[in-house]
Amino acid sequence: MPKKILCVPLDPVHDVGIKLIKSALDKRGHQTELLSPDLTMEAIVKKAAAGNYDFILVSRTLGYGVAELLARFNDLLDAAGIREKTKIVIGGKPVTPELAAELGFDKGFGANSSTEEVIAYIEEREINDSSSSVQKIKKNLAEPYSYKFFHSEIESLLNSIADKFIDWGKNKTSPGIERVRLREEILHAGDKNIQQALIKKYNDLSDAEIAQGNVKKIYPKGVREVTAEELDSLESFLRSQKSAGQLKIQHSDKHPLIFKFLGSGCPLMDIAHGKVCERWGIDGFLIINPSWEARYEGLLFGNLTHENDGTITSLENIRLIRRSLDPSTLLTVRAHRGLNTPETVLLAGKAGADLTKINLVYGSLGAGTDPIRLGVDGLEAIRLTATYGIPFDIPGNDELSGVPAWKTLAGLLINVMVGVKLNAKPILKPLFCYGPHIVLNSFMEKNFIDYNAAKILALREIVDCPIWPGEPIAFMTQSEERVQSANATSYHASLAASLGVDAITIASTDEAYSRGPIAITSRIDSIRAVTDAFRFVGDAGFKLTPEAEKYKNDLIQKIIEVLRAVDEKDNLPEAIYSGLLGDQNDGAYPGKFGAGTVSNKVR
Amino acid sequence: MSTALERVMDAIDIETYLVCRDANEGRMLALKLGQELNLGDVDIMFEEFDGYGIRLRLRKYVHKPGSRYEWLNLSSNKNYQQGE
């Protein structure tokens, strides 16, 4: 039944809110009247008394002395007998339900209230959560792309490099590949005794620190099992704590998806952070593992928590995180570090993760794995991404060591071509960063826009492939100062939106603080900043200076030179050893973990 | 019994400005502030002395990864449900 409503702007300036509410109520068929903002209180009360209204909606921004003014207004309404038959509602930015009650109003709506909430109250019905909350749909980042190369010389060089590399690796194996076979068998073994025998074989192929954990439950320092009681508590927590309405970070459908890192060390803490971040609009997470995992052959089994940085890569941990997150949330698991690359992809696929992270070059230079070992393991891992239908993202974080952007981008493109040839779906991840090579060469002296943009423009001119700048964006521009850090992230996010990339990874405002784990408030800080940035940039964009075009052309030319040199080598690992994709002057050193462990397959 | 501290998901950050003579005094006061607020040792995440005082971001971890989180029992413990 339509209600009769008097809308009263008690504020001479801020009356937009009540006009919007009036308009929404009119559309719902209610009978509304809007008073002018210059009436005295006595005139308003006189009007209210004469009208027999169901509701009086008062709009007022609260400030000094306003409480007294509103109390007087309520007293006048009381004296006129209006309150007996009419509900009095206040709305304004700082209004809370508690404050409204304190001031004598029947109801109050503040900055976080929606028009739908006000209408639901007027119509005396429950709010329909689904109408005010965003419905999220999981997005496949790779789907819209053809992986067609536009630059014939680069395509030809990449074809040659990738063919030689795949051919080089075809008869080779490693303990990492042997373990991935065993893992598959363990997962499919129906008989418990067979399974135990396979697990024993697995542990025999693992380092003692891992086997000891899996057999005797004596774990590396700081690691313990998550207890059954903790898992029960988590279930109850997830059942009882619900999101207060899903928010969206993007202001336009063209804005990129937003990812954050997880990897506090504890899957339970990761899940708690993940659920809060989901509510604020985060689209996906990357699970980061402990750095020590890279050094060991084999992975630990079970739900495990860790007191230090990095969440342990176990099937059970990934499953727990995946199951606890919203089905629409994308989850990626880092695979390219260390000696367990193919097995990590297998676990990611089996646990229902959506993406994984492999960079054959950066994984060999910045993370300590021997290039031959990662070459062999990486090929198998990329094949597994195709088997499980999960795209792999290729982070260009070698730039942070001091590697020039053109070498990093050449490395990313080699990964893309290898991926395409193995029927996988690669995703380019150039950095939006203020890397050492950029600083030394003053590429960003005038602005942070042109050089970052040039990387995207160069890649777009070369191949039709998803682009996801990371990792996180604004690397090396952020400090421990909260506002500065949030600003740096939001500016880079705006640039990403302006360039129309597919996704970005954002830091928290304590990312530059290295002496402790990321805190949830710092995560929300940067999400809020990016949400505002996207609202600000909308469907507009940044204007690049002519320098961006010059940088782009220079990058493409130098990528070609790097690829020509790589193509002169017999295979990719040889090119990495010889420093063509980053040498000691660039701060890049070929890794040593797993050196000498690759063997020929037994025919 | 549930305390508010037990409900802190991970850390407490304090942002403030302390009037001081120099950065050294500011740092000393920051640590003293943590003690006076019964937070024990706090970490100085960020500091910026500007001549009049020091702008600070301090942090105290209440629940670190790998520890037992009292807030996880929010729904399974009656006392927590009542917010006692």
Side-chain angles (χ1 to χ4, degrees):
Chain A
M1 188 180 160
K3 306 283 186 193
K4 196 173 173 194
I5 302 155
L6 183 65
C7 300
V8 182
L10 266 186
D11 193 315
V13 183
H14 303 106
D15 63 347
V16 178
I18 201 152
K19 285 177 178 162
L20 290 172
I21 300 281
K22 179 191 179 319
S23 163
L25 289 166
D26 287 343
K27 284 180 191 159
R28 300 279 301 171
H30 298 291
Q31 191 188 330
T32 65
E33 272 180 78
L34 177 67
L35 296 184
S36 76
D38 56 356
L39 296 178
T40 62
M41 280 199 193
E42 287 73 14
I44 295 167
V45 172
K46 194 174 166 193
K47 170 81 181 162
N52 203 22
Y53 296 98
D54 298 303
F55 291 90
I56 296 176
L57 307 186
V58 179
S59 158
R60 174 74 215 201
T61 298
L62 299 182
Y64 293 120
V66 175
E68 291 77 13
L69 182 141
L70 292 170
R72 192 174 143 247
F73 182 59
N74 270 328
D75 287 345
L76 289 172
L77 292 170
D78 258 338
I82 296 167
R83 298 206 53 153
E84 289 164 22
K85 51 186 181 177
T86 306
K87 285 188 175 164
I88 319 295
V89 181
I90 176 122
K93 265 202 167 169
V95 173
T96 61
E98 296 75 20
L99 188 61
E102 206 178 294
L103 294 169
F105 288 89
D106 293 295
K107 188 78 179 169
F109 295 96
N112 294 325
S113 307
S114 64
T115 306
E116 169 66 14
E117 282 175 73
V118 180
I119 291 171
Y121 175 73
I122 300 282
E123 294 178 353
E124 296 172 282
R125 61 173 169 82
E126 291 292 308
I127 184 152
N128 178 4
D129 275 345
S130 62
S131 65
S132 63
S133 207
V134 176
Q135 297 297 305
K136 294 192 88 175
I137 297 163
K138 189 181 277 190
K139 209 168 167 181
N140 181 343
L141 284 168
E143 202 172 25
Y145 291 92
S146 65
Y147 294 94
K148 185 176 179 316
F149 280 83
F150 306 122
H151 194 291
S152 58
E153 185 180 1
I154 290 178
E155 182 179 20
S156 162
L157 287 165
L158 288 171
N159 262 321
S160 170
I161 293 165
D163 284 342
K164 279 191 285 183
F165 175 52
I166 293 168
D167 189 55
W168 166 86
K170 73 180 176 195
N171 289 321
K172 293 182 172 60
T173 188
S174 76
I177 293 176
E178 299 307 310
R179 276 195 308 277
V180 87
R181 304 270 175 267
L182 284 167
R183 261 295 179 136
E184 276 185 303
E185 288 182 53
I186 291 166
L187 290 168
H188 294 120
D191 184 293
K192 195 121 189 157
N193 291 330
I194 295 174
Q195 199 179 49
Q196 286 306 317
L198 290 165
I199 291 174
K200 188 181 174 312
K201 274 193 194 173
Y202 179 95
N203 286 327
D204 289 344
L205 277 175
S206 302
D207 279 330
E209 290 81 353
I210 300 300
Q212 195 166 243
N214 288 338
V215 176
K216 296 181 185 165
K217 298 194 185 295
I218 300 170
Y219 295 109
K221 193 168 178 270
V223 177
R224 68 168 173 86
E225 281 185 294
V226 177
T227 65
E229 191 190 348
E230 285 175 313
L231 290 172
D232 283 348
S233 296
L234 175 71
E235 292 300 321
S236 306
F237 177 83
L238 293 174
R239 269 199 309 274
S240 68
Q241 300 297 111
K242 295 286 172 222
S243 155
Q246 177 67 56
L247 300 181
K248 196 172 167 69
I249 300 173
Q250 295 80 3
H251 185 65
S252 149
D253 289 342
K254 289 178 183 158
H255 285 168
L257 298 182
I258 310 293
F259 282 76
K260 265 195 179 290
F261 292 117
L262 289 178
S264 66
C266 176
L268 308 180
M269 186 64 91
D270 286 346
I271 290 165
H273 278 206
K275 295 309 289 180
V276 174
C277 289
E278 276 182 337
R279 188 271 165 174
W280 291 94
I282 284 292
D283 301 291
F285 297 100
L286 305 98
I287 307 179
I288 300 300
N289 56 334
S291 54
W292 53 258
E293 250 186 29
R295 297 197 296 271
Y296 294 132
E297 297 276 7
L299 292 168
L300 292 168
F301 291 25
N303 282 128
L304 299 164
T305 180
H306 178 221
E307 285 174 6
N308 298 308
D309 238 10
T311 298
I312 288 163
T313 309
S314 71
L315 180 68
E316 294 78 2
N317 275 356
I318 305 170
R319 263 190 186 146
L320 184 65
I321 295 171
R322 174 67 277 173
R323 205 180 63 219
S324 304
L325 294 175
D326 190 84
S328 67
T329 299
L330 292 157
L331 187 66
T332 178
V333 182
R334 177 166 73 180
H336 70 161
R337 285 207 175 194
L339 306 176
N340 304 292
T341 298
E343 191 180 346
T344 305
V345 174
L346 175 79
L347 299 188
K350 293 283 184 193
D354 305 281
L355 299 141
T356 186
K357 183 193 286 284
I358 305 168
N359 184 343
L360 299 162
V361 179
Y362 167 54
S364 301
L365 289 175
T369 309
D370 170 60
I372 290 180
R373 173 63 185 268
L374 190 62
V376 172
D377 281 5
L379 283 169
E380 180 66 13
I382 292 171
R383 280 191 193 97
L384 283 166
T385 69
T387 305
Y388 286 93
I390 52 177
F392 70 100
D393 58 76
I394 318 157
N397 285 41
D398 28 355
E399 250 196 277
L400 298 177
S401 317
V403 174
W406 52 86
K407 289 187 184 175
T408 296
L409 298 185
L412 301 192
L413 290 165
I414 293 170
N415 279 275
V416 169
M417 186 55 99
V418 172
V420 168
K421 286 184 181 287
L422 298 177
N423 299 315
K425 299 285 182 194
I427 299 171
L428 287 160
K429 259 187 175 172
L431 288 198
F432 269 13
C433 72
Y434 192 36
H437 189 265
I438 292 168
V439 176
L440 288 173
N441 291 278
S442 307
F443 293 149
M444 290 188 173
E445 201 165 278
K446 290 181 184 163
N447 62 62
F448 283 136
I449 294 173
D450 288 333
Y451 203 74
N452 281 322
K455 293 184 206 172
I456 307 299
L457 300 177
L459 291 170
R460 286 219 177 105
E461 210 163 295
I462 294 168
V463 61
D464 183 40
C465 178
I467 300 181
W468 171 357
E471 180 101 316
I473 54 165
F475 218 123
M476 300 180 92
T477 69
Q478 292 145 327
S479 71
E480 292 95 336
E481 205 271 305
R482 190 169 153 261
V483 176
Q484 187 280 331
S485 178
N487 281 345
T489 296
S490 67
Y491 301 148
H492 285 77
S494 299
L495 176 62
S498 167
L499 291 166
V501 299
D502 300 278
I504 51 174
T505 306
I506 62 168
S508 303
T509 59
D510 55 358
E511 203 87 22
Y513 163 75
S514 55
R515 296 183 299 281
I518 302 289
I520 188 64
T521 48
S522 303
R523 290 186 183 276
I524 299 169
D525 284 344
S526 58
I527 300 172
R528 289 299 308 261
V530 172
T531 307
D532 282 353
F534 281 1
R535 176 67 189 88
F536 180 80
V537 76
D539 59 355
F542 288 89
K543 185 170 179 270
L544 310 181
T545 80
E547 286 295 300
E549 183 71 11
K550 287 185 200 160
Y551 285 142
K552 180 204 74 177
N553 292 335
D554 187 56
L555 282 170
I556 293 175
Q557 190 49 45
K558 285 177 172 156
I559 287 169
I560 294 171
E561 287 164 20
V562 172
L563 293 177
R564 281 179 190 153
V566 172
D567 190 38
E568 283 173 17
K569 299 289 176 186
D570 288 341
N571 53 64
L572 179 62
E574 199 185 312
I576 296 172
Y577 281 127
S578 58
L580 294 175
L581 292 155
D583 59 24
Q584 292 188 6
N585 291 330
D586 304 327
Y589 300 87
K592 292 185 174 143
F593 297 135
T597 55
V598 167
S599 56
N600 287 323
K601 282 179 190 167
V602 180
R603 286 171 194 274
Chain B
M1 294 286 277
S2 172
T3 65
L5 266 183
E6 289 172 352
R7 299 288 186 95
V8 173
M9 184 171 273
D10 41 36
I12 297 174
D13 284 2
I14 299 171
E15 289 187 349
T16 192
Y17 187 97
L18 300 176
V19 178
C20 56
R21 290 180 195 87
D22 54 40
N24 274 340
E25 190 196 16
R27 279 193 286 275
M28 194 195 71
L29 287 169
L31 300 176
K32 197 161 173 271
L33 180 68
Q35 300 293 340
E36 288 176 12
L37 291 170
N38 285 327
L39 291 173
D41 295 334
V42 293
D43 203 1
I44 301 172
M45 295 177 76
F46 170 77
E47 56 171 75
E48 190 174 45
F49 179 72
D50 62 12
Y52 300 95
I54 194 163
R55 187 169 165 234
L56 289 162
R57 184 181 184 190
L58 309 175
R59 176 167 286 184
K60 175 70 185 177
Y61 285 100
V62 178
H63 292 112
K64 276 196 163 183
S67 63
R68 313 269 171 173
Y69 319 126
E70 285 98 334
W71 47 259
L72 200 57
N73 300 315
L74 183 63
S75 54
S76 54
N77 181 324
K78 214 176 169 188
N79 286 340
Y80 281 87
Q81 285 173 327
Q82 291 164 352
E84 288 174 4

